């Protein structure tokens, strides 16, 4: 079964609410352009549907940091077909769309255009999937206006650094941890240690979805230790609603931000080009990833812009950003042992 293909839809995409986990982007179009788009969709709903579908696939791929070439290889679908799909011109079947969503470790329903749910719907949905019957009954009672018998309390775990690869999370995080006397942890290294495999091996064997499960399990085990830490996360952690929500609720989260060119230069110096190795459009892919993730990165407690700064200057700026946490124990839940 396939959706009928229409090719006459004008390319006037609005970059708003492109995925269930990526929240609202600023609308780059004028009111006149948006009205034109609404009239076009009203007169040609199938074309509008395919356009939105392609936009969602493109955004979901960027959230996961996958190039089009990588997605084609993992899904077994040609890169040309994926380009047509993302351009709103693919005569897409449910079976092929399922292969695309599986390759990205996404839920099929996240790619289907529909009325946009609440911003936290992805988190709520994933919690419900894991909930016991008793927990579901308790949630229904709360949504109906009842009082929960108990509320989950999450202990403060420290400072988490988020951002694209090349943001300086490991370098600056290690310097900050040493300065304030906390433990420094790289989440990806923790995943590797707990599973005895490298990140690349985990993704090759279990796919993106398998890696995200292991990432969440590693984070949960780390939080159970109840020790203060500076945590460097992977750039794509924002693509997993439950894991990212756990980060935001357990840590004072800081987005390390830089210009795309700086991210790329730093990554190249590290000799790490995954997942964009041998891809001529690597810079365009990186910009697309950043645009798709920005609304999620922006949910951090603070932003530290390291653009154009030396390592020492960036470290000093990060220290200034965490000063409120270190000076106000009660506001952030710090234990009395922290000086």
């Amino acid at each position: 079964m396939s959706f009928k293909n229409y090719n006459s839809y004008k390319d006037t995409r609005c970059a708003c609410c492109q995925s269930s986990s990526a929240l609202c982007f600023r609308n780059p179009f004028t009111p006149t352009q948006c009205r034109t788009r609404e009239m076009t969709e009203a007169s040609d709903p199938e074309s509008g549907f395919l356009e939105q579908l392609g936009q969602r696939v493109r955004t979901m791929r960027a959230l996961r940091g996958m190039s089009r070439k990588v997605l084609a290889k993992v899904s077994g679908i040609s890169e040309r077909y994926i380009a047509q799909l993302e351009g709103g011109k693919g005569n897409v079947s449910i079976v092929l769309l399922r292969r695309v969503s599986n390759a990205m470790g996404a839920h099929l329903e996240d790619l289907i255009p529909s009325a946009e749910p609440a911003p936290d719907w992805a988190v709520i949905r994933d919690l419900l999937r894991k909930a016991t019957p008793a927990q579901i009954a308790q949630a229904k009672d709360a949504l109906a206006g009842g009082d929960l018998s108990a509320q989950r309390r999450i202990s403060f775990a420290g400072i988490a650094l988020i951002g694209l690869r090349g943001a300086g999370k490991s370098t600056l995080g290690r310097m900050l941890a040493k300065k304030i006397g906390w433990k420094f942890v790289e989440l990806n290294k923790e995943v590797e240690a707990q599973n005895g495999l490298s990140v690349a091996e985990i993704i090759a064997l279990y796919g993106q979805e398998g890696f995200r499960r292991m990432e969440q399990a590693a984070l949960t085990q780390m939080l159970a230790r109840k020790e203060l830490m500076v945590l460097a996360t992977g750039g794509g952690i924002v693509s997993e609603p439950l894991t990212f929500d756990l980060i935001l609720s357990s840590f004072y989260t800081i987005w390390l931000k830089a210009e795309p060119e700086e991210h790329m230069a730093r990554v190249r110096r590290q000799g790490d080009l995954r997942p964009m190795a041998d891809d001529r459009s690597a810079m365009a892919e990186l910009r697309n990833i950043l645009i798709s993730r920005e609304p999620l990165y922006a949910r951090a407690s603070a932003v530290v812009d390291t653009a154009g700064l030396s390592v020492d200057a960036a470290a000093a700026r990060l220290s200034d950003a965490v000063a409120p946490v270190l000076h106000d124990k009660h506001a952030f839940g710090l234990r009395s042992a922290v000086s």
Side-chain angles (χ1 to χ4, degrees), residues 4 48 265:
K4 189 174 180 181

Side-chain angles (χ1 to χ4, degrees), residues 138-148:
Q138 192 176 35
K140 287 170 63 179
D141 182 59
L143 290 172
D147 294 326
L148 291 175

Side-chain angles (χ1 to χ4, degrees), residues 143-157:
L143 290 172
D147 294 326
L148 291 175
S149 58
Q151 298 244 343
R152 182 181 65 167
R153 294 190 63 188
I154 300 176
S155 300
F156 179 82

Side-chain angles (χ1 to χ4, degrees), residues 27 99 213:
N27 189 344
R99 285 167 61 181
R213 285 198 306 269

Side-chain angles (χ1 to χ4, degrees), residues 32-281:
T32 300
Q33 288 174 312
C34 286
R35 282 195 296 271
T36 301
R37 179 177 186 242
E38 291 169 359
M39 291 172 62
T40 302
E41 289 183 353
S43 61
D44 195 355
E46 289 83 0
S47 290
F49 176 89
L50 290 174
E51 175 69 19
Q52 293 175 52
L53 174 63
Q55 193 167 334
R56 283 172 177 261
V57 172
R58 189 167 58 252
T59 299
M60 192 68 68
R61 175 173 63 77
L63 279 172
R64 280 152 174 75
M66 300 177 76
S67 68
R68 193 176 289 161
K69 182 179 294 183
V70 170
L71 178 56
K73 182 177 180 180
V74 176
S75 65
I77 299 172
S78 73
E79 190 174 348
R80 180 181 178 185
Y81 176 85
I82 291 174
Q84 290 177 332
L85 172 61
E86 292 186 354
K89 298 176 174 61
N91 189 17
V92 58
S93 72
I94 290 296
V95 172
L96 288 184
L97 190 59
R98 183 170 178 264
R99 285 167 61 181
V100 170
S101 65
N102 286 342
M104 294 190 292
H107 298 291
L108 181 60
E109 62 264 31
D110 288 343
L111 303 181
I112 306 298
S114 62
E116 292 298 332
D120 286 332
W121 166 245
V123 175
I124 296 169
R125 178 200 62 199
D126 287 355
L127 286 171
L128 284 174
R129 283 182 171 137
K130 296 184 177 183
T132 64
Q135 289 172 322
I136 292 175
Q138 192 176 35
K140 287 170 63 179
D141 182 59
L143 290 172
D147 294 326
L148 291 175
S149 58
Q151 298 244 343
R152 182 181 65 167
R153 294 190 63 188
I154 300 176
S155 300
F156 179 82
I159 296 163
L161 305 179
I162 64 173
L164 287 180
R165 292 201 318 276
K169 292 169 292 185
S170 297
T171 300
L172 298 179
R174 192 174 284 107
M175 293 171 70
L176 176 63
K178 183 178 181 180
K179 180 177 181 179
I180 65 179
W182 293 3
K183 182 178 181 180
F184 173 70
V185 180
E186 289 184 86
L187 185 53
N188 281 355
K189 294 290 178 63
E190 194 74 16
V191 173
E192 292 178 335
Q194 290 188 16
N195 294 279
L197 296 168
S198 69
V199 170
E201 289 171 332
I202 291 171
I203 293 176
L205 289 171
Y206 304 105
Q208 286 279 344
E209 186 175 4
F211 171 72
R212 294 303 173 198
R213 285 198 306 269
M214 295 179 191
E215 182 181 57
Q216 187 178 123
L219 177 61
T220 301
Q221 289 183 37
M222 287 164 49
L223 292 175
R225 299 172 194 163
K226 298 187 182 301
E227 56 183 344
L228 292 173
M229 70 185 84
V230 175
L231 178 69
T233 67
I237 199 167
V238 296
S239 68
E240 177 51 49
L242 279 181
T243 307
F244 188 44
D245 188 63
L246 192 56
I247 291 285
L248 292 174
S249 58
S250 304
F251 295 86
Y252 185 80
T253 310
I254 298 177
W255 173 19
L256 294 184
K257 184 179 181 182
E259 295 298 319
E261 292 79 9
E262 290 181 289
H263 283 290
M264 180 62 77
R266 294 169 186 173
V267 168
R268 290 188 187 281
R269 284 198 295 269
Q270 296 167 6
D272 178 10
L273 295 180
R274 71 180 197 279
M276 295 177 285
D278 303 319
D279 192 338
R280 298 179 201 175
S281 60

Side-chain angles (χ1 to χ4, degrees), residues 156 159 179-180 182 252 318-335 338-339:
F156 179 82
I159 296 163
K179 180 177 181 179
I180 65 179
W182 293 3
Y252 185 80
L318 178 58
S319 294
D320 291 341
V322 303
V325 182
L326 303 178
H327 294 156
D328 193 347
K329 304 172 185 177
H330 301 292
F332 299 98
L334 283 167
R335 294 189 291 274
V338 179
S339 58

